[in-house]
Amino acid sequence: MQGFDFILFGATGDLAMRKIFPSLYQAHIDGFLPSIGRILATSRSAFNTEQFIEELSSKSKIHIKNCVDKKWEEFTHGICYLSINLNDEKDFIALKERIGDKSQNIVIYFSISPEFFMQACKNLALVGLNRDNVKIILEKPLGMDLHSCQVINNEIAKYYDEKQIYRIDHYLGKESIQNLLILRAFNPIFASLWNRKHIDYVEISVFETLGVESRGEFYDNTGALRDMVQNHILQILSLVAMKIPPNLDAESIRKAKLELLKALKPLGDENIAKDVIRAQYIKSGNFKAYLAEDNIKENSQTETFVAIKAEILDDNWRGVPFYIRTGKRMADSFAQIVIQFKNKESLKPHSNKLIIHLQPDNQISLNLSVKKNGKTMKCEEKDLILNLNNTFIMQPYERLILDAIEGNQASFNHKEELEVAWAWVDPILENWREHKTPLYFYPAGSLGPKESFELIKKDGYEWHNF
């Protein structure tokens, strides 16, 4: 890998301490960061480098498994700190002087609120930190709807070309997601079956046992649809259903995802009424209600659970339902993709399903009908499991940061992908703002509202749990 300068805005923030620095440390001990690379941490805090390293050690090391002190000292030796006010041009002049003119590969990570993106880009451009050798990584959320997303994208585009912009979605860095395209492209069995002729339905679930925790103010203005569906889940859906391009390079993958997202059937009020469920968790046992969480508005209508039946209007998937759901304060934490294959009417209810487990397990299982042991010809279901946990697993942020340093955009979002996804989600948000469909409720620690089970049951299916 070529040398680099990695500049992190928001270096004292929670994301930086929990994910970004532990990932950089892991890349260092894995041998993926070259010794000629430099890390420059910045924030508004008035630290010097020594004080920042003390802060980093106290807040970041606890998120690293088996942190070795000698390796940590070696890693932090290459970090320097600079206090920067994002609105002060003089601070950006100081940043440019600290970097110097010799660097050929500069990566700037915006671990800051999107409201500061545009001012930061403007000031970076003023000091020449927008030339071709500069790349920027943008954290979500990019907007709260289509219009605000376009405003951010258009303003940033004044200073950086699209090829310089890396919009990060950590789900795309997960090993199982990275495996999905390989599984589809290089296994003739699945390649030949991956269409409406052989697939009955597809299910994508992302559940968390956690509530909103300390993120109440952010979450109450965001909700599950914006926080999970618009970005993570629609990205997963696009990788499941997109046409496999001849080459798995960044441009081809992003073009295929965009084509798929444009083929999603638009949702009007009639569709939303019957195919979209929103709900909020209520008190159950030792779990308090969402409305009792810290920094939640009184009588808030914010959804903590969403289930949607989606359809894709192209020849490969027409008529195949895609069921997606996500929720907080659920009975268990897991993320999975279920591909339910069709079977002959005479052989029902026996049918195979492929389950791609994203978390907590990193594995792929194929559910098969096999003969029961003994003097019988009756069937039972068994799973053929490919366990990826026993191999080296690179963490999502580590993989994506290294991809950005290397200039590989394959696992990052193009602006058009996000805008098309917002265009699909916006009618749902508008419907909810106008109270055209109800907010349902579910007990904290459950599998969601009964209405979500009815959503899939009316089509003759049921959710696959755990």
Side-chain angles (χ1 to χ4, degrees), residues 114-115 243 267 437:
E115 65 187 276
K243 293 182 176 68
L267 294 171
T437 50

Side-chain angles (χ1 to χ4, degrees), residues 43 69 80 115 138 166 215 267 277 338 388 439 455:
S43 76
D69 286 342
C80 59
E115 65 187 276
L138 305 181
Y166 293 68
R215 299 170 71 228
L267 294 171
I277 303 296
V338 179
L388 301 173
L439 173 69
L455 172 70

